[in-house]
Amino acid sequence: MLEETLVLFKNIRNPKYDKSLAGYKNTGGFKSLKKVFGMKPEEVVQEVKESGVRGRGGAGFPTGLKWSFMAKGTGKPSYLVANADESEPGTCKDRELMLKDPHLFLEGLMIGSYAVGCHHAYVYVRGEFFPAIKILNAAVDELYADGLLGHDPLGSGFNLDITIHTGAGAYICGEETALLDSLEGKRGQPRVKPPFPAVSGFNGCPTSVNNVETLACLPFIFSDGGVESFKSFGPQNNSGTHLVSLSGHVNSPGVYELRMDVSMKDIIYEIGGGIRNGKKLKGVIPGGSSSPVMKADEIDVLYNFDDLAKIGTMMGSSAMMVFDEDTDVVKLLHRITRFYAHESCGQCTPCREGTHWSRQIVRDFLNGNGSEEKLKRLDRVGGNMLGTTLCALGDAAAMPIQSFVNKFPEEFRKYYATT
Amino acid sequence: MAQQENEGWLTEKWMQHVADICEVPLTHVEGVVTFYTMFRLKRPGKFHLQVCTCVPCCLVGGTELLEHTENKLNIHAGHTTTDGEFSIEEMECLGACSFAPAIIVNEDYHEQVTPDKMDKLIDQLKQ
């Protein structure tokens, strides 16, 4: 029987765990930070590279490598920003970490700040997360009161402040450059890259933006023997555990911490308890609503970055949305296209127009006005968004459209065969 | 913050106030306000029901929950009841997908909400 591997959820799964600073310290909290303060920042970056941890926000970019791109000797301050704007449909893992073990994440943020030479770190939390915002603010206050933040924590000679900044409701602000614009008090619209944030980010200074879960991995990586254990939790290049947000038609939806060498089939049937009401599986959206959909016969695959990429989809933010045989995939795609039409920032024409056109075409099918020509047009509108926009939202909108059309064409045809 | 001071919505007077403090033109403030969904230019109800119907929620009854709520309060999403008590807003992903369907009432999350639970919640809030 498949079980969870507890690294990030070690405390959360303990029903007696006290998430206050004292409770976190009792479980060995801040030992890693102390160890890190005894190392040189370059050594810390090297160690993170060695661990192979990849960004958990969706792109899967190696974290150590991202940090090594940070411009040095510019005379400007460096910033580390935690991306807590969790808004990819299906994803609810960072919320768990922030609500139930805030100090684990904050220790990770402090380790990261030391590594990139940041003296003022920001946490950009989505505005709707009212409970998490309160908890994070209280946790930061505790750290200041304890002397772990501010001037010279643990006698390290390193100064660090943390500010919790709230968003105001925009999916696009999860994109790192839009997030930085939003943090600066502007509309959250993605920037032209290059320059990348590592060179010119927050207020034009070198900045690294990292996901909450990625940062929460750091205390473990810097515990004794952490790097080796971390690497052992998955195949090469897919190290560590990850938090899987399982939702949709399974018997036991939830957020589960799993190794990266378990199959999707086992996750759905063993961890998720199978499909509810004894129904059959029809498909899975494997990594947030942006990822290409998979059919039921494709799920015998390891759930990690590389194995999913090999079969033409992606693990994204590890958000698995499962749907059963009774699901109308045209309606499902309509809901997805509505989401992107609502969330497009309107900056690039292919995305601004394409997201609305695709929504209208799918709606035509639902209204009984579908046709073979429209099915082809839908696929084409998707193709025109792919790779033609400043940020990945265009791709994110295109991938579900094209995969739904290509994998379930008969479902669309049902809508015009009968009319 | 201006929105919180003004019962959850913004007027031009408040936006001008923010523009003065930040030393930016009013148009800049209006641009930001209209970009984000959490800034409101209409007064919400005393209890603002934000119902998620995004992908994971719609798979397990979020859309039906929204319809149920609209029928119960006899208003459409985007509107406020005539007594000013309740308003409904259809939301995109609230980030509580494994606990769907999710709603937020003012600042509180409620998870795995069924039409029954919604009825009870509304009745409670009315008191």
Side-chain angles (χ1 to χ4, degrees):
Chain A
M1 189 71 188
L2 182 60
E3 283 182 351
E4 285 189 286
T5 303
L6 299 178
V7 174
L8 303 173
F9 272 4
K10 184 180 80 187
N11 297 334
I12 292 179
R13 288 289 184 252
N14 174 3
K16 289 185 191 147
Y17 178 60
D18 161 21
K19 68 182 176 200
S20 70
L21 179 56
Y24 181 64
K25 278 186 178 170
N26 281 341
T27 65
F30 290 103
K31 271 192 191 155
S32 299
L33 182 70
K34 200 168 182 185
K35 181 174 160 191
V36 163
F37 279 154
M39 297 164 72
K40 285 187 189 147
E42 306 85 76
E43 291 168 350
V44 179
V45 175
Q46 188 53 40
E47 196 91 338
V48 171
K49 268 190 190 170
E50 181 63 28
S51 77
V53 60
R54 293 170 67 171
R56 303 288 197 244
F61 194 80
T63 306
L65 194 60
K66 192 175 198 173
W67 287 353
S68 67
F69 292 152
M70 294 275 285
K72 290 173 195 72
T74 57
K76 294 178 188 170
S78 296
Y79 289 101
L80 182 66
V81 181
N83 185 345
D85 189 62
E86 183 166 61
S87 40
E88 175 74 20
T91 320
C92 55
K93 60 190 178 63
D94 297 340
R95 193 182 78 129
E96 292 292 292
L97 285 170
M98 292 187 286
L99 285 177
K100 297 176 182 168
D101 200 4
H103 287 292
L104 175 75
F105 152 58
L106 290 171
E107 185 182 357
L109 180 61
M110 291 161 81
I111 293 173
S113 300
Y114 180 76
V116 302
C118 159
H119 296 288
H120 194 156
Y122 288 85
V123 182
Y124 184 96
V125 199
R126 64 177 295 184
E128 291 91 343
F129 277 173
F130 299 104
I133 294 163
K134 279 183 203 148
I135 288 172
L136 284 177
N137 274 313
V140 168
D141 288 347
E142 274 185 299
L143 290 173
Y144 274 110
D146 193 76
L148 275 164
L149 279 179
H151 178 67
D152 194 22
L154 301 171
S156 58
F158 179 75
N159 300 336
L160 178 64
D161 288 306
I162 292 181
T163 301
I164 310 292
H165 183 93
T166 56
Y171 167 71
I172 190 62
C173 292
E175 197 276 344
E176 59 179 12
T177 57
L179 183 151
L180 294 173
D181 264 18
S182 180
L183 192 61
E184 292 173 9
K186 303 174 190 158
R187 299 163 71 106
Q189 290 187 315
R191 300 175 181 174
V192 182
K193 287 159 278 186
F196 286 91
V199 175
S200 175
F202 181 56
N203 287 336
C205 303
T207 305
S208 177
V209 182
N210 294 101
N211 176 260
V212 170
E213 187 190 340
T214 315
L215 294 168
C217 292
L218 299 175
F220 179 81
I221 291 172
F222 288 96
S223 62
D224 293 333
V227 171
E228 288 313 311
S229 321
F230 195 79
K231 276 160 71 174
S232 74
F233 294 138
Q236 209 184 358
N237 293 331
N238 294 275
S239 49
T241 56
H242 62 154
L243 300 177
V244 179
S245 319
L246 189 58
S247 65
H249 297 151
V250 284
N251 280 312
S252 315
V255 183
Y256 300 100
E257 181 168 19
L258 299 168
R259 299 165 58 97
M260 293 231 207
D261 52 6
V262 294
S263 86
M264 281 181 76
K265 198 173 178 180
D266 290 346
I267 298 176
I268 295 169
Y269 288 97
E270 292 193 22
I271 295 282
I275 310 301
R276 63 178 200 181
N277 304 329
K279 299 278 182 190
K280 280 191 195 136
L281 176 72
K282 185 180 234 171
V284 187
I285 304 174
S289 66
S290 320
S291 56
V293 67
M294 295 165 74
K295 290 179 89 162
D297 58 9
E298 295 176 287
I299 61 163
D300 214 351
V301 59
L302 296 185
Y303 193 54
N304 61 42
F305 293 111
D306 294 344
D307 282 85
L308 285 188
K310 266 184 224 153
I311 60 162
T313 183
M314 57 192 267
M315 189 176 75
S317 53
S318 311
M320 218 191 261
M321 288 168 276
V322 176
F323 53 93
D324 70 16
E325 54 187 329
D326 293 343
T327 311
D328 184 333
V329 299
V330 183
K331 278 191 183 153
L332 187 59
L333 181 62
H334 182 241
R335 189 64 191 87
I336 295 175
T337 53
R338 262 182 64 200
F339 174 77
Y340 289 105
H342 183 263
E343 300 294 350
S344 171
C345 83
Q347 205 174 194
C348 311
T349 311
C351 169
R352 180 183 65 235
E353 302 298 321
T355 50
H356 284 267
W357 288 351
S358 53
R359 184 193 56 176
Q360 277 167 8
I361 300 171
V362 182
R363 195 164 53 196
D364 281 351
F365 278 89
L366 292 176
N367 291 337
N369 296 324
S371 66
E372 199 63 32
E373 157 57 22
K374 279 189 181 164
L375 195 58
K376 280 187 194 142
R377 194 185 302 158
L378 186 58
D379 189 40
R380 210 164 52 230
V381 170
N384 286 341
M385 280 191 276
L386 210 56
T388 54
T389 52
L390 280 182
C391 81
L393 195 140
D395 301 348
M399 287 187 288
I401 295 171
Q402 293 196 309
S403 62
F404 271 83
V405 170
N406 292 320
K407 290 197 175 163
F408 298 100
E410 71 285 2
E411 300 263 342
F412 289 85
R413 291 189 180 115
K414 266 188 212 160
Y415 271 95
Y416 54 85
T418 53
T419 52
Chain B
M1 270 154 81
Q3 180 164 289
Q4 282 164 8
E5 290 281 318
N6 190 41
E7 298 174 348
W9 66 304
L10 289 164
T11 59
E12 191 171 319
K13 191 185 95 187
W14 284 96
M15 288 190 276
Q16 183 63 58
H17 191 52
V18 172
D20 292 343
I21 294 172
C22 301
E23 296 178 359
V24 293
L26 176 63
T27 48
H28 179 92
V29 178
E30 285 179 342
V32 169
V33 165
T34 52
F35 186 82
Y36 297 96
T37 54
M38 287 175 70
F39 294 120
R40 288 187 286 267
L41 296 169
K42 256 172 37 182
R43 182 195 290 273
K46 189 172 152 201
F47 301 107
H48 188 53
L49 308 176
Q50 302 163 70
V51 184
C52 180
T53 63
C54 202
V55 186
C57 284
C58 106
L59 282 173
V60 293
T63 318
E64 292 76 12
L65 182 68
L66 176 67
E67 272 171 32
H68 177 85
T69 315
E70 289 177 328
N71 291 336
K72 168 130 180 131
L73 295 173
N74 207 16
I75 47 167
H76 285 294
H79 292 85
T80 308
T81 51
T82 43
D83 59 4
E85 285 289 297
F86 291 96
S87 51
I88 308 176
E89 190 177 355
E90 182 180 9
M91 299 296 286
E92 296 298 348
C93 190
L94 294 179
C97 313
S98 295
F99 317 96
I103 66 165
I104 304 180
V105 181
N106 297 348
E107 295 191 357
D108 296 323
Y109 270 81
H110 297 262
E111 292 162 356
Q112 297 185 322
V113 182
T114 55
D116 267 358
K117 266 191 175 172
M118 182 65 109
D119 286 347
K120 279 184 197 143
L121 183 67
I122 291 176
D123 292 341
Q124 260 177 22
L125 294 173
K126 273 183 183 165
Q127 285 164 12

